[in-house]
Amino acid sequence: MAKVFIYPATSLILSDLVARFGHEPLGAALSIRERIQTPGLESPPLQITPEDPKKGLRYAAVEVPSGVRGRMAIYGPLLEQSEAAIIVTDAEMAFGCMGCARTNELILFSLRQRGIPLLELTYPKSEEEGVQFVKAIREFLAGLQEGGS
Amino acid sequence: MAAYTPRLVGTVTKYVFVESPDVMPSDLAIRAYEVSEGAMIKETCFGLQVTGMPEEVDRIIRHLRSIDPHHIFVKDRGFPPGDPRRCRANLGGARPGYFGHEFEFPLLRFVSCGLRAAEEAAEEERPVEIVIREARPALDIRKLIEIIESEES
């Protein structure tokens, strides 16, 4: 069972397919749950504290805005754990403020730099594309199993 | 800053989405309550939220998936249901994260098609079992004549 990072990190479709085909999806919910279930000082809504931008320094330079570094404190540990990744390139739902946009760019850049197996595809817009979409993900994940990841 | 004491520590919450012509969220909720051993189950407009210890939640999810495997989709959630930081009862308007679901929900039917096709392809790849049956002894001609005569008489 490989740990597979999914992009968009909140994607229902990717999370379901990765788990359905026997692997562990790494999405934003895991990091958020960790923060929500850790006691400390109240920092609503996501329990992101001033410590997080400091942790984000591991993934982004000091001159990068703290918003990006704070977000990278959530995604960075997931990127480090990931053994493979599935990226949907036309994910309009990942659209957000400038902090989100730059963080998304940094996530994609980091994934491509890591040299792990990557699958890039677009969301299906018809039944035929749906068949191809599921087939591509199924074969990619089956290849991870054969590769011993 | 006030001290923060988390609730439901050690639990996981999972969303169960159903996009099926045969199964409604209320059907899923009843089936989930049937097999639940203490997990919190919340019925929503799109399916369920299941909160509990990881093994218990996985067991319930496996059972729910088996009801309609191609039309039931599952993903993790960071917050437990009803959390005041996320629940729209406190915030007003759509819950943050709803828009992502709204974006992906219409695409689920295409993924369902893909899952059905993938299952059919897997069935075709599976080697066909050849069942060799032992040849039954043929019916004796005299016995056949007896049967025919007994039927005619």
Side-chain angles (χ1 to χ4, degrees):
Chain A
M1 187 168 75
K3 292 182 175 181
V4 182
F5 187 86
I6 52 173
Y7 178 87
T10 54
S11 170
L12 161 68
I13 293 174
L14 294 183
S15 179
D16 179 85
L17 291 178
V18 170
R20 189 184 287 262
F21 294 129
H23 295 273
E24 184 184 343
L26 297 180
L30 303 183
S31 293
I32 297 295
R33 181 184 297 149
E34 189 186 321
R35 279 165 175 73
I36 295 301
Q37 297 194 356
T38 305
L41 292 173
E42 200 163 10
S43 182
L46 297 178
Q47 282 302 114
I48 291 180
T49 62
E51 286 302 307
D52 282 308
K54 293 180 196 165
K55 290 177 192 162
L57 281 173
R58 186 177 166 85
Y59 312 101
V62 69
E63 64 267 25
V64 172
S66 59
V68 175
R69 282 186 279 124
R71 286 172 173 82
M72 284 310 288
I74 290 179
Y75 296 114
L78 298 177
L79 294 174
E80 282 186 348
Q81 289 175 43
S82 61
E83 295 163 304
I86 300 178
I87 297 170
V88 172
T89 49
D90 65 341
E92 287 172 20
M93 61 181 266
F95 174 82
C97 62
M98 195 50 81
C100 288
R102 293 289 170 258
T103 308
N104 287 343
E105 283 178 11
L106 188 53
I107 288 171
L108 295 178
F109 175 76
S110 306
L111 283 173
R112 288 174 182 138
Q113 288 290 306
R114 287 200 62 214
I116 56 175
L118 278 185
L119 175 66
E120 297 195 29
L121 63 181
T122 56
Y123 273 124
K125 292 172 188 66
S126 65
E127 292 188 357
E128 291 76 25
E129 286 183 26
V131 171
Q132 294 304 317
F133 183 84
V134 174
K135 187 181 174 200
I137 291 177
R138 182 167 165 254
E139 286 175 358
F140 175 73
L141 295 174
L144 296 179
Q145 240 153 8
E146 285 164 14
S149 297
Chain B
M1 271 184 167
Y4 171 64
T5 310
R7 64 189 187 99
L8 299 168
V9 176
T11 62
V12 297
T13 300
K14 295 211 178 190
Y15 282 121
V16 180
F17 290 78
V18 57
E19 214 275 346
S20 168
D22 305 317
V23 182
M24 299 295 289
S26 55
D27 303 328
L28 273 189
I30 291 167
R31 299 291 288 270
Y33 278 123
E34 281 173 1
V35 297
S36 167
E37 293 176 2
M40 188 199 305
I41 291 152
K42 183 175 187 290
E43 184 185 334
T44 66
C45 58
F46 52 76
L48 303 178
Q49 291 182 56
V50 184
T51 304
M53 300 314 284
E55 305 81 30
E56 170 71 354
V57 172
D58 285 346
R59 192 178 62 79
I60 296 172
I61 297 289
R62 270 200 305 277
H63 177 75
L64 294 178
R65 268 194 201 274
S66 68
I67 297 169
D68 194 351
H70 303 147
H71 297 100
I72 288 176
F73 298 86
V74 179
K75 80 170 217 179
D76 276 294
R77 187 184 181 194
F79 287 88
D83 192 292
R85 290 165 292 194
R86 271 292 178 266
C87 183
R88 68 194 174 106
N90 307 86
L91 300 178
R95 177 181 55 73
Y98 171 79
F99 302 106
H101 299 159
E102 191 184 28
F103 178 81
E104 284 196 322
F105 210 84
L107 308 177
L108 291 182
R109 61 198 173 101
F110 304 138
V111 179
S112 294
C113 277
L115 287 171
R116 201 176 308 113
E119 191 177 287
E120 285 166 6
E123 289 287 329
E124 284 170 16
E125 285 167 17
R126 192 178 297 165
V128 181
E129 278 185 34
I130 300 169
V131 180
I132 301 169
R133 292 189 182 140
E134 285 183 18
R136 287 182 185 173
L139 184 63
D140 186 64
I141 188 68
R142 282 178 297 236
K143 179 81 177 163
L144 179 63
I145 292 168
E146 273 176 30
I147 293 170
I148 293 170
E149 284 174 351
S150 67
E151 288 292 316
E152 283 176 352
S153 60

